[in-house]
Amino acid sequence: MGKFVVRRLLLLVPILLGLSVLVFGYVRALPGGPADALLGERSTPEKKAQIEHLYGLDRPIYVQYGKFLERAVRLDFGTSITTQRPVSAEIRSRFPATVELSAAGLLFAVGGGIPLGYAAARRYQSWFDNASVVLSLLGISIPVFFLAFLLKYLFAVKLGWLPSVGRQDPALIADHPTGFYVLDGILTGNLAASVDAIRHLVLPGLALGSIPLAIITRITRASVLEVTNEDYVRTAESKGLTRRVITRRHVLRNAMLPVVTVIGLQTGLLLSGAVLTEIVFAWGGMGQFMYDAIFSRDFAVLQGGILFIAFVFVIVNLLVDLSYGFIDPRVRAR
Amino acid sequence: MSLAELEQVQTSTEVESSGGLLREAVTRLRRSPVAIIGAALITLFVLVALLAPVLAPHSPTAADLTKVRPGSVPGPSAAHWLGLDEQGRDELSRLIYGARWSLLIGIVSTTLGVTIGVILGTLAGGLAGWVDGVIMRLMDIMLAVPGLLFAIGLAALLGPSLKSVMIAIATVNVPIFARLLRASMLSQRGSDYALAARSLGVRRSRITLAHVLPNSLAPVIVQATLALATAIIDAAGLAFLGLGSADPSVPEWGRMLAESQNALNTSPQLAILPGLAITVSVLGFTLLGEALRESLDPKLRR
């Protein structure tokens, strides 16, 4: 197991290095270079040269890359031109909002998708199974921002059951030591704040989680169907094992492998889907921050944001790969 | 029999058997209700896009601000079946013309992404060795950035235009197709017909291009149908973020939805209609893609 972990960690190095080259090249690929992007219409050759000297853009490209890498390791992504604060500080203050939203979406998708997919496979070709197939095809065809919009319109605007925007009732006074509002309420003993944060999370979480829910349901269903027909399940049945033992030890354990892979891939969808969902619900996380950066052409923010989210995505998939080792002993042996 | 003749025989049986498989797949496809509904939706979508100038009762861009006041948009009437938007433009005509942009972006970006992906995948799967290593590590790096986010970054860099959207979505598709084709080619390379061709002394490039590649394309075709669906969704997402066409009067469904967000209380139809248009057209490609996948899956063959 130890060797497997080390080998998987080593595979990470070229990916992260490549990612850093990609992101390093990103801002430098701007028409007129980063200095022009920074100066905009006020650009003159003198000012441009001054800026380029200030940011070391007049030095050889490998020196620039070395500096960039050195700073990226320290999570220094430069300064936002709109807020004049370091990008890393901006990310740190906004990332908990996006993680909280993505976690709510993932919880809904995994918590709903696996039981639904299992139930559908068990009732193969029943009305329940057919309905699950139709709904999951619809689920992967609907854009996340449209679903977010529909939920907001129905449950917040029309019915008024849940809040339509933001993470917290503005009238509520609460401390935020971690930035994760639900957790903050529990930590500070302010349960009313936790409940309020959960109420705000429901609609965006449902919107963001529905598409992964559809995908996880499909994969679980297909995977359980395939495993149920395996010889080893028939052997277990003929041995006289109870249905529960067969389900837990033979069916679910083997069926979970593709499901776990898909969950890892879904975190990418969740993190980028969060960008769109946050805008509909005025969530104030990374997504909204990057949305504003698109309009102000604040490329340091886009660069830092994309690199950071990609990093999280790579780490999540590393954890997923490592979890195979725990679920499936055959992976360790390879 | 000469070597050339032998090769001829080998090739012809290959074609026949693949024709047989294809015919079998088409037969199964024609019996699948999912495929029929999907094809019907796609046909409807394409017809609306092609016949937009004939079908649309009004101009999609002619604004009439005298008919609208902020917060009050005229609903359906005999002259405007789906009412007007906030700029006083005919909603139905904008929805109809919106199909053109969605279809255009979907087809161009998918074709571009598939073409480059197939070229890179063939090089990686065919040449193996260091070429394979370099291409695949590059693809891994691209896949490390979540797709939509990659497209957002690229489109923002290139500046808002339809061309940027197409390039961004095509780029996101490249590693997906390169990897898929390479994996498919690797599994075909060890098959009996490839071995037979090699033992007959057929050149490696010919085995790769004439035998292995055509037999490896089935998953690519399935994925391309599904990629068209994703391309339409992603293009709508980019337009929703303001990264679509630089001309604000272009009726893109994603942009129409974004623009009507503030009128949620008074005229929700302005957001719901373009949202439905996106969903229905995407559903067409999803259904056909799924049906294709099932009809080409050898495990489901009876």
Side-chain angles (χ1 to χ4, degrees):
Chain A
M1 189 71 204
K3 233 170 98 183
F4 170 70
V5 173
V6 170
R7 202 167 46 203
R8 191 59 189 75
L9 279 173
L10 283 178
L11 274 175
L12 206 62
V13 176
I15 297 276
L16 290 179
L17 272 178
L19 203 60
S20 75
V21 173
L22 198 72
V23 171
F24 171 77
Y26 179 66
V27 168
R28 276 152 193 87
L30 282 170
D36 265 354
L38 204 59
L39 289 164
E41 285 162 7
R42 294 168 293 136
S43 179
T44 60
E46 297 81 57
K47 271 192 186 162
K48 195 176 164 181
Q50 203 184 339
I51 290 279
E52 281 183 342
H53 185 72
L54 186 68
Y55 289 101
L57 294 167
D58 51 355
R59 279 187 273 172
I61 197 88
Y62 58 88
V63 177
Q64 288 184 40
Y65 176 69
K67 265 265 179 288
F68 167 84
L69 205 58
E70 189 194 316
R71 286 166 51 199
V73 170
R74 285 187 277 121
L75 295 178
D76 176 358
F77 301 123
T79 310
S80 158
I81 54 165
T82 39
T83 64
Q84 296 297 332
R85 290 179 57 204
V87 173
S88 56
E90 298 282 5
I91 292 178
R92 202 175 309 132
S93 68
R94 285 177 174 84
F95 200 61
T98 303
V99 171
E100 196 171 46
L101 175 59
S102 304
L106 191 65
L107 194 71
F108 172 59
V110 175
I114 294 178
L116 274 177
Y118 179 72
R122 269 292 134 103
R123 292 162 188 76
Y124 182 57
Q125 291 195 334
S126 68
W127 69 267
F128 180 83
D129 180 40
N130 291 329
S132 88
V133 172
V134 171
L135 279 179
S136 57
L137 286 174
L138 198 65
I140 49 178
S141 302
I142 193 166
V144 61
F145 52 91
F146 179 48
L147 186 63
F149 181 90
L150 284 180
L151 289 173
K152 178 174 151 179
Y153 176 67
L154 193 63
F155 294 105
V157 178
K158 274 275 141 181
L159 297 168
W161 289 356
L162 291 159
S164 62
V165 289
R167 299 178 66 195
Q168 192 175 49
D169 190 337
L172 204 79
I173 298 157
D175 289 329
H176 298 296
T178 63
F180 298 96
Y181 283 14
V182 178
L183 188 68
D184 285 341
I186 296 166
L187 287 178
T188 56
N190 189 349
L191 280 184
S194 275
V195 171
D196 180 64
I198 291 172
R199 277 173 50 83
H200 279 84
L201 257 177
V202 173
L203 291 181
L206 282 180
L208 186 56
S210 290
I211 295 155
L213 172 88
I215 297 169
I216 292 173
T217 305
R218 278 168 55 89
I219 300 291
T220 309
R221 173 181 175 274
S223 183
V224 168
L225 277 179
E226 202 174 314
V227 171
T228 313
N229 293 328
E230 291 284 351
D231 290 341
Y232 55 74
V233 172
R234 201 159 5 113
T235 309
E237 272 164 2
S238 61
K239 272 200 306 191
L241 290 182
T242 60
R243 180 79 175 266
R244 238 175 78 191
V245 172
I246 296 174
T247 301
R248 211 180 46 220
R249 234 190 263 158
H250 299 280
V251 176
L252 275 184
R253 196 163 169 176
N254 281 295
M256 274 311 104
L257 284 169
V259 177
V260 169
T261 313
V262 167
I263 291 172
L265 293 173
Q266 291 308 305
T267 54
L269 199 72
L270 275 171
L271 290 166
S272 42
V275 175
L276 296 162
T277 312
E278 282 185 13
I279 292 160
V280 176
F281 290 99
W283 194 250
M286 288 286 291
Q288 231 183 345
F289 188 45
M290 288 171 67
Y291 175 64
D292 296 336
I294 293 172
F295 282 96
S296 49
R297 298 186 69 74
D298 194 343
F299 285 98
V301 167
L302 280 177
Q303 184 189 38
I306 291 174
L307 183 64
F308 193 73
I309 292 181
F311 181 71
V312 173
F313 184 46
V314 168
I315 296 300
V316 168
N317 279 294
L318 169 76
L319 293 177
V320 165
D321 274 12
L322 292 182
S323 77
Y324 291 167
F326 290 101
I327 302 174
D328 187 352
R330 286 167 300 185
V331 174
R332 267 172 273 166
R334 250 188 265 146
Chain B
M1 215 186 277
S2 77
L3 215 71
E5 274 173 318
L6 259 176
E7 197 191 332
Q8 206 59 47
V9 170
Q10 214 267 334
T11 321
S12 64
T13 50
E14 195 56 50
V15 169
E16 201 178 276
S17 79
S18 85
L21 289 181
L22 200 67
R23 210 173 309 130
E24 204 185 314
V26 170
T27 314
R28 246 173 311 141
L29 209 55
R30 283 223 298 256
R31 266 191 248 125
S32 149
V34 175
I36 293 166
I37 298 171
L41 289 177
I42 294 171
T43 311
L44 181 75
F45 175 44
V46 172
L47 281 179
V48 168
L50 290 178
L51 300 175
V54 185
L55 291 172
H58 298 274
S59 152
T61 50
D64 187 355
L65 287 166
T66 59
K67 288 191 185 135
V68 287
R69 266 169 294 134
S72 140
V73 173
S77 64
H80 302 282
W81 290 2
L82 296 176
L84 300 175
D85 73 356
E86 286 177 301
Q87 309 278 320
R89 295 171 294 206
D90 182 54
E91 182 72 5
L92 178 63
S93 305
R94 287 183 71 72
L95 283 174
I96 290 173
Y97 271 92
R100 294 199 138 185
W101 296 112
S102 272
L103 187 66
L104 182 74
I105 296 172
I107 289 179
V108 173
S109 57
T110 308
T111 311
L112 196 64
V114 171
T115 310
I116 301 173
V118 163
I119 293 172
L120 290 177
T122 310
L123 284 176
L127 293 176
W130 67 269
V131 180
D132 181 32
V134 169
I135 292 176
M136 283 304 124
R137 289 301 78 71
L138 212 65
M139 299 296 109
D140 283 350
I141 292 162
M142 287 175 75
L143 285 170
V145 186
L148 182 61
L149 213 61
F150 200 120
I152 291 173
L154 205 57
L157 187 71
L158 298 168
S161 80
L162 289 177
K163 208 168 85 186
S164 313
V165 171
M166 291 177 197
I167 295 174
I169 296 174
T171 310
V172 171
N173 271 320
V174 167
I176 300 172
F177 284 98
R179 252 176 108 144
L180 189 68
L181 182 63
R182 172 183 175 268
S184 177
M185 283 178 76
L186 286 187
S187 70
Q188 292 290 324
R189 216 165 52 183
S191 58
D192 292 342
Y193 68 81
L195 190 72
R198 200 159 58 222
S199 66
L200 288 171
V202 181
R203 266 178 297 123
R204 198 171 72 161
S205 59
R206 188 169 157 72
I207 298 176
T208 302
L209 294 176
H211 301 284
V212 175
L213 183 62
N215 279 295
S216 310
L217 282 176
V220 172
I221 294 163
V222 172
Q223 185 61 36
T225 319
L226 296 171
L228 243 163
T230 318
I232 294 171
I233 289 194
D234 284 354
L238 291 176
F240 183 78
L241 292 172
L243 285 167
S245 163
D247 176 2
S249 68
V250 167
E252 278 176 87
W253 290 338
R255 189 213 299 266
M256 288 165 72
L257 209 160
E259 279 171 353
S260 45
Q261 268 201 93
N262 299 325
L264 194 58
N265 276 312
T266 51
S267 32
Q269 81 276 6
L270 293 184
I272 293 174
L273 291 170
L276 281 178
I278 303 167
T279 311
V280 169
S281 50
V282 170
L283 190 63
F285 289 105
T286 309
L287 292 179
L288 187 68
E290 288 303 324
L292 264 175
R293 188 210 299 277
E294 275 185 18
S295 77
L296 288 170
D297 188 346
K299 272 191 232 152
L300 298 170
R301 210 168 274 157
R302 255 164 251 135

